Amino acid sequence: MKKRYAPLARNAVIASLAAGAVATGIVLVGPGRDDGPPLPAPGPAARTVLAEGPGAALSAAELSALIAAQEHRLAGNPGDHLSWAVLGSAYLAQGALLGDRTDFRRAEKALRRSLEALPGEKGNADAQLGMAALANARRDFATARRWAESVRARSPEQWTAYPVLIDAYSGLGSYGAAAKALQTLEELRPRTVQTLMRASQVHRDNGRQEDAEALADEASSRSGGKAERSAALHRLGELAWERGEPKQAAAYFDTALRLEPGHHPSLAGRGRASAALGRTDDALRDYGAAIERAPMPEYALRAGELYESLGMAGEARAFYEKVRRLTAKARKYGVSEELTLARYEADHGLAKAAVQRLAQEWKRGHRSAHVSDALGWALYRAGRAQEGLKYLKRATTPGLRSALSLYHQGEIERALGQDGPARRHLREALRLNPYFSPLLVPRAKRAVSVLGNPPPGGPVDVEGEPWATDEDLPPEDDGAPDDDGAADDREERPSRRPGGDASGEPRDSGTARPRDGDSRAPRDPQASRRAGSPRETHDGEPSGT
């Protein structure tokens, strides 16, 4: 037991020392060299990363200074595994903040150097959790789960594993597992900003919007720095947008941008809110600034659809081409943008190509509500409406109420002649967020008008055929998913295949196919220990193309 909890004890000591140093001005001295004076002490940013793990929120200036300090530190002590782990986490945070995927490669190199100096099985949880966070950032959620579960198996009370696990489980669509991980995190680390933000995410995914907003608001009030507060304000803005309040959403994004002027998620969020409010020039300006700051395909797709809604076909085509280029560029750095590219293909390109891409995501275990929604819509656009409806029902079942998903479901039901369910879901989409898409809202309104009011005598078919969790999914055809996706959000079955190298690293994420049940939550914390060593990842391209 003493050996198992060593990483936890070390992190607790580091956090305690960091707090004392901040309060009293005591300098923390790191490992020294035999032939010279001690190395410079870790600064406040380094202590934050050590105490908070890879999820620590730092400003761009803090991250730049931290990277320079860690590189200087490692020049004199290249075997310092902890400094390599901090450097890797700093590169990862900088890449996410600035939208620079080249930093992800630098992060992986630093984290692997840390694991070479001290393997994961010997207690290097910092580097393993850094690798898990990196996999989440690359949208390789199955690999992220394996990294983080390997840490939890050795040290169940190490709280820094749980935020990463929540992100991984959510990306896989294992919402029950995410809720269980949140419960443990709240017991180990109650009411901290990281805990509150993950709790907001979990409640939102389960349809509890008011709880999600209250938790994000508390996170904003408790935040200790500009980066933390801007992230919480962005969450509040997204929640306001989802409930159809663009004016309030824009106000949250404005405040976040005053704190962090280059916060690209808030720039893009404000652009979407401005478009809903009729301020199209402002919206296009914000989208342009967001893409310049962080060239994300999602931002280009939103801008293209706004241009198309304005009748500016040439400008729209230019941004749609940018979606393809940015997706290909992200792939070079191991980042999967398959979901965004498939959404583009389904609505503006080749629907069959969208089905094929999303089928690959499904096989990788990525079965979130967002993937289910996109796959169902792509199947419909490819002429397979009955199959597509099954995935839309799966997307709207867990609790997340998305106006886009409800619109997709209603349109498919309308095409199948299920007028009652179609009318209800299309109206619900417009009630939930009357601005959910500049292209699709007018179509939704026309569809509701065509459907008219229900016939007298009461509805004949309110819900349509339900999603049956025990039936096989549609057979694979032109890239459709196979029958291993029929499971609902049941508990994860532990891996029964031992393996991995002495460092305890998960296997190459680009070549290893996920096990059956990858979208389910673990039965208990002991399951991962029985599963054997984790598997090793790589720096290659994600599957799905």
Side-chain angles (χ1 to χ4, degrees):
M1 293 296 291
K2 183 177 180 181
K3 183 176 181 180
R4 176 180 298 166
Y5 291 96
L8 172 66
R10 182 205 58 206
N11 279 357
V13 169
I14 291 172
S16 176
L17 289 173
V22 172
T24 65
I26 296 174
V27 176
L28 297 180
V29 179
R33 293 169 291 179
D34 294 337
D35 58 347
L39 292 170
R47 295 197 296 270
T48 299
V49 172
L50 291 172
E52 298 294 317
L58 299 172
S59 68
E62 289 173 322
L63 289 168
S64 179
L66 174 57
I67 288 169
Q70 293 304 109
E71 288 177 341
H72 175 70
R73 186 179 183 85
L74 286 162
N77 190 13
D80 183 359
H81 73 277
L82 201 54
S83 292
W84 280 116
V86 171
L87 179 62
S89 294
Y91 270 129
L92 171 58
Q94 180 173 266
L97 185 64
L98 303 182
D100 185 357
R101 271 67 182 275
T102 59
D103 280 331
F104 289 179
R105 280 187 174 175
R106 299 185 184 102
E108 181 167 1
K109 289 179 181 178
L111 292 167
R112 289 200 178 280
R113 286 290 299 272
S114 179
L115 288 167
E116 289 171 6
L118 182 68
E121 65 178 9
K122 294 184 179 180
N124 193 354
D126 301 287
Q128 286 191 305
L129 293 177
M131 290 295 287
L134 175 61
N136 276 331
R138 287 172 162 170
R139 299 183 181 88
D140 185 0
F141 302 112
T143 295
R145 182 195 61 192
R146 290 193 290 268
W147 278 111
E149 283 183 347
S150 68
V151 174
R152 183 182 62 180
R154 287 195 312 273
S155 186
E157 294 188 16
Q158 181 155 335
W159 76 269
T160 49
Y162 292 93
V164 187
L165 277 171
I166 291 169
D167 291 344
Y169 289 143
S170 299
L172 292 168
S174 298
Y175 298 113
K180 289 181 181 179
L182 173 63
Q183 183 178 3
T184 304
L185 177 62
E186 288 176 329
E187 293 170 357
L188 296 172
R189 190 81 167 177
R191 317 315 293 181
T192 66
V193 173
Q194 274 208 55
T195 300
L196 291 165
M197 289 291 285
R198 290 321 191 286
S200 175
Q201 171 187 331
V202 170
H203 283 288
R204 177 253 185 192
D205 288 345
N206 285 280
R208 297 187 288 271
Q209 296 290 106
E210 291 183 359
D211 291 336
E213 182 181 6
L215 290 160
D217 187 63
E218 184 178 351
S220 174
S221 65
R222 287 178 177 267
S223 59
K226 292 181 178 180
E228 274 189 340
R229 187 151 189 259
S230 64
L233 288 165
H234 173 260
R235 172 66 56 81
L236 287 166
E238 288 293 299
L239 291 168
W241 165 259
E242 289 172 1
R243 64 174 179 267
E245 298 180 7
K247 187 175 182 179
Q248 186 172 358
Y252 282 126
F253 295 136
D254 280 338
T255 306
L257 287 165
R258 282 196 293 271
L259 291 169
E260 288 285 324
H263 192 246
H264 59 88
S266 292
L267 279 169
R270 190 173 67 180
R272 187 163 56 179
S274 295
L277 295 169
R279 302 197 294 259
T280 53
D281 288 343
D282 292 341
L284 293 171
R285 188 182 308 112
D286 278 339
Y287 279 138
I291 294 169
E292 183 179 358
R293 177 76 172 182
M296 311 283 278
E298 180 184 357
Y299 302 162
L301 180 58
R302 288 190 205 172
E305 290 184 337
L306 178 56
Y307 273 117
E308 186 176 344
S309 73
L310 298 172
M312 304 171 71
E315 290 83 351
R317 281 195 301 272
F319 276 93
Y320 292 152
E321 285 302 313
K322 192 183 288 287
V323 172
R324 289 184 175 279
R325 291 197 304 271
L326 294 178
T327 301
K329 185 177 179 180
R331 193 180 300 122
K332 291 180 180 179
Y333 299 107
V335 180
S336 172
E337 293 284 2
E338 294 301 295
L339 178 58
T340 300
L341 184 57
R343 287 193 183 280
Y344 158 75
E345 291 284 10
D347 282 322
H348 312 287
L350 299 174
K352 286 187 177 181
V355 172
Q356 289 169 353
R357 291 182 182 282
L358 292 166
Q360 290 301 316
E361 289 297 292
W362 194 269
K363 288 178 180 179
R364 295 175 68 200
H366 295 174
R367 301 175 184 186
S368 68
H370 305 289
V371 174
S372 295
D373 164 52
L375 179 52
W377 184 246
L379 284 165
Y380 161 70
R381 296 282 290 178
R384 299 162 62 183
Q386 193 67 56
E387 296 170 80
L389 183 57
K390 293 177 179 291
Y391 288 91
L392 259 304
K393 289 180 177 180
R394 192 181 200 274
T396 55
T397 296
L400 176 63
R401 305 307 285 172
S402 160
L404 179 62
S405 295
L406 290 166
Y407 166 77
H408 286 162
Q409 183 171 350
E411 280 286 39
I412 296 175
E413 289 164 336
R414 188 165 75 99
L416 292 171
Q418 299 178 14
D419 289 357
R423 183 183 296 108
R424 185 169 70 84
H425 289 127
L426 289 169
R427 287 181 174 179
E428 186 179 353
L430 291 170
R431 281 197 305 270
L432 183 62
N433 184 356
Y435 316 98
F436 67 88
S437 165
L439 276 180
L440 302 179
V441 164
R443 298 176 191 177
K445 290 179 178 178
R446 287 195 296 270
V448 169
S449 177
V450 169
L451 287 168
N453 292 319
V460 176
D461 180 9
V462 177
E463 292 289 348
E465 182 183 352
W467 170 273
T469 58
D470 57 349
E471 69 175 87
D472 289 343
L473 293 183
E476 185 167 354
D477 179 25
D478 292 332
D482 53 21
D483 61 1
D484 66 349
D488 58 357
D489 188 29
R490 291 171 293 200
E491 294 184 337
E492 176 77 25
R493 292 178 297 183
S495 166
R496 302 187 184 277
R497 292 189 295 173
D501 58 17
S503 69
E505 302 174 20
R507 189 170 299 162
D508 188 318
S509 62
T511 56
R513 290 171 59 89
R515 304 180 300 276
D516 289 343
D518 266 358
S519 65
R520 304 170 189 163
R523 291 192 183 280
D524 55 63
Q526 305 295 326
S528 296
R529 292 186 210 124
R530 295 193 297 267
S533 303
R535 298 182 293 179
E536 182 173 340
T537 57
H538 80 122
D539 187 27
E541 297 180 2
S543 61
T545 57

